[in-house]
Amino acid sequence: MLANVIISTLVVCIPSTFLAVLIGVPAGYFLKVKRFKYRKMLIRIVYTLSGLPPVLAGLLVYILLSRKGPLGFLNILFTKWAMVIAQVILIVPIVTLYTLSGLKNIDRVLENLDYLNVKGRKRYTAIMKEYSKEIMYAIVLGLSRSISEVGGVLIVGGNIEGSTRILTTAIIFEITKGEFSNALLLGAVLLAISFTFNTLLQILQGDVVD
């Protein structure tokens, strides 16, 4: 049981974080360097969505994926796919805002790249190298948000044993049964996984404190 719950947690959290970073980092970069009408309004919307209640995100995804919803034909409600979608909706605004605030001195970096006539793929590769630490922290932030989420995934996943039950929803289930020792054990496993992910990312970044 525990092994299945851990695997389900990883299967949901890792893809949702990857997709959120894939969307959020470019979105943050776009909002940082581009100047266009309603830019400030869009940033305010992103700020608002960064505090989107998980249960509301779960409800919206539930409505979209329900049998009578516009995406009901996908037939993925109460599956891991639905859980990933809910988590991506929650994580993307957070990653976007962190990227937006983390791209310090980006104008100077872009000016240097223009001076060196760096364009195309090489240009974006250079920007990613320059802000690799910020991108890594965005991944950590996304993972931390993903692995601790419970409300949204509970609504769209249904907490089905052997299928959509992950560590956070399993903790809730054990609490409702009055099995607090099991809930604490699952909580310890959740913290251990989070600590392991964060440590690995810091090692990859070379940012481990001596």
Side-chain angles (χ1 to χ4, degrees), residues 8-203:
S8 294
T9 301
L10 297 178
V11 168
V12 171
C13 293
I14 293 176
S16 60
T17 301
F18 175 77
L19 290 173
V21 171
L22 201 62
I23 298 170
V25 170
Y29 171 81
F30 178 81
L31 290 174
K32 183 70 174 182
V33 303
K34 301 296 182 180
R35 297 293 182 270
F36 53 91
K37 192 176 182 180
Y38 302 122
R39 172 179 174 270
K40 291 183 178 180
M41 178 62 68
L42 185 56
I43 291 176
R44 291 193 190 102
I45 292 173
V46 175
Y47 266 102
T48 302
L49 292 177
S50 67
L52 182 68
V55 289
L56 179 56
L59 176 60
L60 294 174
V61 175
Y62 183 95
I63 293 172
L64 287 173
L65 299 179
S66 63
R67 185 171 299 179
K68 295 183 179 179
L71 299 179
F73 65 92
L74 295 175
N75 196 30
I76 59 173
L77 189 61
F78 302 129
T79 68
K80 292 184 179 69
W81 285 109
M83 298 166 73
V84 168
I85 293 172
Q87 288 205 346
V88 168
I89 291 174
L90 289 168
I91 300 171
V92 165
I94 297 173
V95 173
T96 300
L97 285 182
Y98 182 83
T99 304
L100 182 63
S101 62
L103 294 177
K104 299 176 181 178
N105 301 319
I106 184 65
D107 292 335
R108 185 183 304 172
V109 172
L110 294 177
E111 288 177 3
N112 291 336
L113 292 174
D114 288 336
Y115 178 77
L116 296 173
N117 197 29
V118 179
K119 298 180 179 179
R121 184 180 299 178
K122 291 183 178 179
R123 183 183 184 88
Y124 293 110
T125 301
I127 293 173
M128 289 180 65
K129 287 182 178 179
E130 178 70 23
Y131 293 99
S132 60
K133 182 175 292 187
E134 285 74 13
I135 294 174
M136 196 66 68
Y137 286 157
I139 295 174
V140 171
L141 192 64
L143 266 175
S144 299
R145 183 68 178 86
S146 175
I147 205 168
S148 62
E149 209 289 300
V150 59
V153 294
L154 185 61
I155 292 174
V156 301
N159 197 23
I160 302 171
E161 185 177 358
S163 177
T164 60
R165 182 167 296 171
I166 60 176
L167 282 168
T168 50
T169 59
I171 291 172
I172 297 297
F173 180 69
E174 293 298 331
I175 291 174
T176 58
K177 293 194 303 179
E179 298 289 346
F180 297 107
S181 58
N182 290 340
L184 288 172
L185 174 61
L186 291 170
V189 173
L190 187 66
L191 286 174
I193 292 174
S194 180
F195 177 80
T196 301
F197 273 129
N198 291 338
T199 301
L200 287 175
L201 288 171
Q202 286 182 335
I203 291 173

